[in-house]
Amino acid sequence: MNTSFLRISIWVYLAIFFAYLLGPLVIMSVTAFNSSGFPRMSPWECLTFQWFGELFQDQRILNGIKNSLIIGAGTVVLSVAMGLAGALMLTQIWPKLRATYYTIIIAPILIPGVVLGISTLVFWDRINRMLGLGADSFLSNGIFLTVIGQSTFIASYCMLVLVARLQRYDMALTEAALDLGATHAQAFRKIMLPFMRPAIASAAVLAFLASFENYNTTTFTFGEYPTLTIELAQKVRYGITPAISALAFIIVALTVFFALLNEAKLKRQELVAAARKEATVEELAGKIKLPSFFAGNMAAVLLVVFAVATITVVGTATAYNPAQCIADVREQKQLEAEQRIQELRKQREERRKQQEAQEAEQGEAQSAPKPSNNSGFGNVFAPNSLGGDGDDGASDTESEPSNNSGFGGVFDPNSLQSDQ
């Protein structure tokens, strides 16, 4: 029971983890096929491929991709060369200095990219002024500054990959080559370099991907050569379209394709090595029956399925015409907008009528007679308590109201005797 519960918990955790990790990529990829003008998955409108066409017509995006490829190639060459030199130095340096040297080489990884970008820009600008060069020199070129700025920390990544490979290298092979008369350059080129080739390829891929997606350092050094990340950031700032989702889908598709291709190749090599190892002497003397490309190779099967699905999508894109669906959606949106306008007009008219009714009630309340002022003190403070001239010729006794203030008439005006 405990084993089953643990197994279910692990599968649930893995499902949540991969949903959290890959969910945004899936959602963004789906939005590339929605006809909505803003990248969204719901509500779904129409299946369309127009955003891919708009993507390849966007000159800013295409220019950013071109600059990213150029800068990535330069960064790969410089970073791999510096990383290989650092790895060789780290494995051959005096052991007591190895820890200090390792800390110095790894330090650029810990420095924020913003600091690296600003420092690169300031340093090479000062060098440019010291040499008396103009603002259009190669030292002020955006591609040069970006390659230098990115290589300062990407070279550390490359060095870590190459050091891991060098730790498995037997230095006795180089010593044997030197004893047989080879020079150091020949021993490095013919013995060490072939051994380091897989690690160099891995470091090159890592350097290119790190350069392609870098933004913090590049934003200070690109100059007149904005990369793809810079262009995407500017588009996000001023408003994006599903063409960005189309670009994301293409990147994800290419990543999955090459990952499956590499996995299928590695699995194929393992199967071939295992078949040769288990082959008998007779089979070695004759012809070894190697396994097929798909035998026991799930990555190869997934690669073929992915390729077939891609071809199907491309074929559907060329034959499918969503114009009628988009027209229907636009008409429905227009009807909904008109209905909404009518509802707003009705609400405004109702508010106007309510306001007019309130104003009429306030006018009637102002024109109504004032109520009697019965203060509870015997009307001593009432305005009519003071005697006035009679308008209709009535006697003074009839016109004067009684002043019963509750104080025994002590404040009665007639209680005071006038002079004769």
Side-chain angles (χ1 to χ4, degrees), residues 100-123:
T100 304
Y101 178 76
Y102 180 80
T103 303
I104 296 174
I105 294 298
I106 296 300
I109 300 178
L110 307 177
I111 299 176
V114 175
V115 177
L116 292 177
I118 296 175
S119 60
T120 300
L121 183 63
V122 173
F123 175 79

Side-chain angles (χ1 to χ4, degrees), residues 33-54:
F33 300 94
N34 193 0
S35 61
S36 174
F38 185 80
R40 61 183 182 183
M41 187 175 179
S42 177
W44 183 266
E45 295 183 359
C46 295
L47 177 64
T48 181
F49 300 92
Q50 65 175 353
W51 306 118
F52 292 89
E54 293 188 7

